[in-house]
Amino acid sequence: MLINKLPLKKDLNPSKIIINFACMIILAPLHGFTDFIFRNVYSRHYEGIDVAVSPFISLTQCEKINPRKAKDVLPANNSSMPVIPQILGKEPELFIQMAHFLQDLGYDELNWNLGCPVKSIANNKRGSGMLPHPELLRSILDKIIPAIGSRLSVKIRLGYYSTDEIHQLIPVFNDYPLQNICIHPRIGIQMYEGKIQHEILQAIIGDFKHEIIYNGDINTLDDFNNIRQRYPSIKKWMIGRGVFYNPLLPQQLKEARVEINVRDSERFSLFINDLIHELRLYKSEAQTVNKMKDLWSLFSYGFDERLSVINQIIHVDNLPDMIKTINTIIETEKRLLAK
Ligand SMILES: Cc1cc2nc3c(=O)[nH]c(=O)nc-3n(C[C@H](O)[C@H](O)[C@H](O)COP(=O)(O)O)c2cc1C
C-alpha cells in the first residue's frame, strides 16, 4: 500500500528531516471529494497542506444567495484548514453577487474555475470551455475586476481544444491584477488523463506577469522532484488525486522524505473511521455508504490490489458492512506489508 511510506512524526529523527519551508502545498478542488467534511477530518490526521481551494460553487440566477449554497465555505465549517472559495460560471452580475457574498464571509481571495473539462459545462463556455474565447474572457474581467478588486485568482489549462489557445490568453490575463494563476498543463479535451504538456508550459511560463501555481500528476515525492526541476521559479504546488492515493503525500513533499512504516495503516484506519463518523453527522447511513464508494474510487489507488479493493467496496449495501469491509481491507494490507 502506497500510504505506508512515511514514519509517524514521533518516530523521525528531527535532525534528518529536510523541511521544505520554501514550498507551499495547496489542496486541489475535487468536486464530490474535498468538501469541508473531508478537509476537516483530513487535517485532524495528516499534515502538510497549507490551504485548500474549495470545489466549485456554480453560479445560478437568484435574488439573494442562499447560504446553503455556500455551505462548503461557511467559516463555521472551516476552522481547521484555510480555504479559498472557487466560483464556476460566466455571468458577470452573478459573479459579482457571489463575490460580494463571499467577501462578506471574510474571504479575501476568490478562485475562478477556468479549467473544468466536463462537456456539459465546457459546451456552455464555462470552465475550460471559456479558454477558446479570449475576448469573452476579457469582457468578463473588464466587468468583474473593478467590482471585486484584485482578489481574484484563476485556475486554468493550456486551452480547451489546443495548446495554441494559451498564446491568446496570456496577454488577456496580463492586463488584470490577478492574485495568481494555477495551471494544469493539459487541454480540456484531455480531461484528467494523457500526457501533461510540460514542454509547452516551460516555453510560456516566463510570459505570464503573475505568480504561477503548478497542478497535475504529483502523486509521489519522485514526481514532485522531477516536476520541480522543470519549473525552478514555482514555489506553490497544488495536489489533488495524489492526496487520496497517499494521504501522507503533502507531508512527504514538505519534508522531502519517504520511509516505510507499517503503523501508518493505523493512521489511515483512524482517519477513515473518523471520516465515516463525521459524514454521519451530516448524512444518512445510505448516503454515507455511497460517499464511501465514491471516495474509495480514489483511495483504492493506494492499494496494490486495487481492483479487488474496489470490488469489495462496491458490493456493500449498508454502513456496518462498509465499516467491516474497510477495516478488513486495511488489516489485510497491513499483514501483507508486515511479511
Ligand atoms: C473528481 C474530480 C473533481 C474535480 N473538481 C474540480 C473542481 O471542483 N474545481 C476545479 O478547479 N478542478 C476540479 N478538478 C480538477 C483538480 O482540481 C485538478 O486540477 C486535477 O485533478 C489535476 O490535479 P491532480 O493530478 O493533482 O489530481 C477535479 C478533478 C477530479 C478528478
Side-chain angles (χ1 to χ4, degrees):
M1 184 182 183
L2 290 175
I3 64 165
N4 295 288
K5 291 230 168 125
L6 190 76
L8 295 173
K9 197 137 199 188
K10 64 187 172 62
D11 299 327
L12 292 172
N13 175 350
S15 63
K16 286 196 191 153
I17 306 173
I18 308 152
I19 305 278
N20 248 324
F21 282 119
C23 103
M24 176 185 260
I25 303 294
I26 303 165
L27 178 65
L30 299 187
H31 209 261
F33 289 81
T34 59
D35 58 13
F36 75 93
I37 301 175
F38 174 85
R39 297 193 299 265
N40 288 340
V41 177
Y42 181 89
S43 59
R44 288 207 281 271
H45 296 268
Y46 295 100
E47 299 166 40
I49 290 175
D50 296 289
V51 61
V53 173
S54 81
F56 65 77
I57 304 168
S58 194
L59 296 177
T60 41
Q61 200 79 44
C62 56
E63 288 268 301
K64 203 164 165 267
I65 291 163
N66 179 347
R68 278 183 62 82
K69 193 170 165 55
K71 189 172 165 198
D72 189 47
V73 297
L74 292 180
N77 292 333
N78 284 283
S79 54
S80 62
M81 189 186 284
V83 65
I84 297 165
Q86 186 186 66
I87 299 175
L88 174 80
K90 67 171 196 298
E91 301 79 5
E93 304 72 31
L94 300 181
F95 197 106
I96 293 164
Q97 181 192 37
M98 178 59 82
H100 286 158
F101 173 83
L102 295 168
Q103 184 176 30
D104 290 346
L105 291 180
Y107 289 108
D108 56 12
E109 181 178 337
L110 308 173
N111 186 263
W112 188 15
N113 180 327
L114 294 174
C116 181
V118 174
K119 255 198 170 159
S120 55
I121 289 173
N123 283 347
N124 200 13
K125 299 187 183 146
R126 294 168 164 231
S128 64
M130 172 70 67
L131 302 176
H133 307 284
E135 287 315 312
L136 176 60
L137 175 67
R138 182 183 289 284
S139 75
I140 297 171
L141 287 169
D142 269 346
K143 293 193 180 104
I144 64 178
I145 293 290
I148 71 169
S150 58
R151 300 179 303 117
L152 190 67
S153 57
V154 293
K155 183 164 176 283
I156 67 168
R157 291 176 175 238
L158 296 175
Y160 182 71
Y161 297 110
S162 154
T163 55
D164 291 345
E165 293 162 27
I166 194 67
H167 301 291
Q168 272 72 53
L169 294 164
I170 294 172
V172 177
F173 289 127
N174 280 349
D175 281 345
Y176 298 89
L178 305 173
Q179 296 261 330
N180 57 61
I181 299 181
C182 176
I183 305 183
H184 177 57
R186 288 193 168 97
I187 53 173
I189 54 173
Q190 284 184 279
M191 302 294 291
Y192 298 109
E193 305 301 329
K195 188 174 175 283
I196 290 250
Q197 316 255 11
H198 284 300
E199 292 74 18
I200 308 275
L201 180 55
Q202 282 173 286
I204 55 155
I205 196 164
D207 298 339
F208 285 94
K209 258 182 22 190
H210 302 97
E211 179 178 28
I212 300 300
I213 297 173
Y214 175 89
N215 165 240
D217 289 16
I218 299 177
N219 298 325
T220 65
L221 181 58
D222 278 350
D223 294 341
F224 185 49
N225 287 335
N226 290 334
I227 292 173
R228 212 149 49 141
Q229 276 181 7
R230 291 177 179 266
Y231 307 104
S233 61
I234 293 188
K235 298 281 181 288
K236 297 181 183 172
W237 308 88
M238 178 183 276
I239 55 176
R241 291 166 294 181
V243 176
F244 288 81
Y245 304 167
N246 170 13
L248 287 161
L249 183 65
Q251 190 184 353
Q252 291 177 343
L253 305 186
K254 274 282 173 74
E255 297 180 357
R257 192 171 166 79
V258 180
E259 296 206 346
I260 306 286
N261 184 319
V262 287
R263 282 194 300 126
D264 277 328
S265 295
E266 282 162 30
R267 187 182 336 191
F268 186 63
S269 172
L270 288 173
F271 163 60
I272 293 291
N273 283 288
D274 194 5
L275 191 54
I276 291 172
H277 177 262
E278 195 79 12
L279 284 166
R280 278 292 287 124
L281 301 179
Y282 298 89
K283 296 178 190 293
S284 68
E285 283 204 12
Q287 288 169 327
T288 303
V289 168
N290 287 334
K291 189 74 180 175
M292 273 295 128
K293 290 183 184 181
D294 289 345
L295 295 174
W296 275 80
S297 66
L298 293 183
F299 284 137
S300 58
Y301 279 95
F303 292 78
D304 293 337
E305 301 293 331
R306 174 169 189 252
L307 290 183
S308 152
V309 167
I310 298 250
N311 215 16
Q312 293 173 65
I313 297 278
I314 54 169
H315 288 108
V316 176
D317 62 4
N318 64 74
L319 192 57
D321 282 354
M322 179 59 87
I323 294 171
K324 235 186 278 163
T325 304
I326 289 173
N327 287 336
T328 305
I329 288 169
I330 297 173
E331 270 307 308
T332 308
E333 191 76 14
K334 189 173 152 187
R335 256 183 273 119
L336 281 176
L337 278 166
K339 275 188 186 164

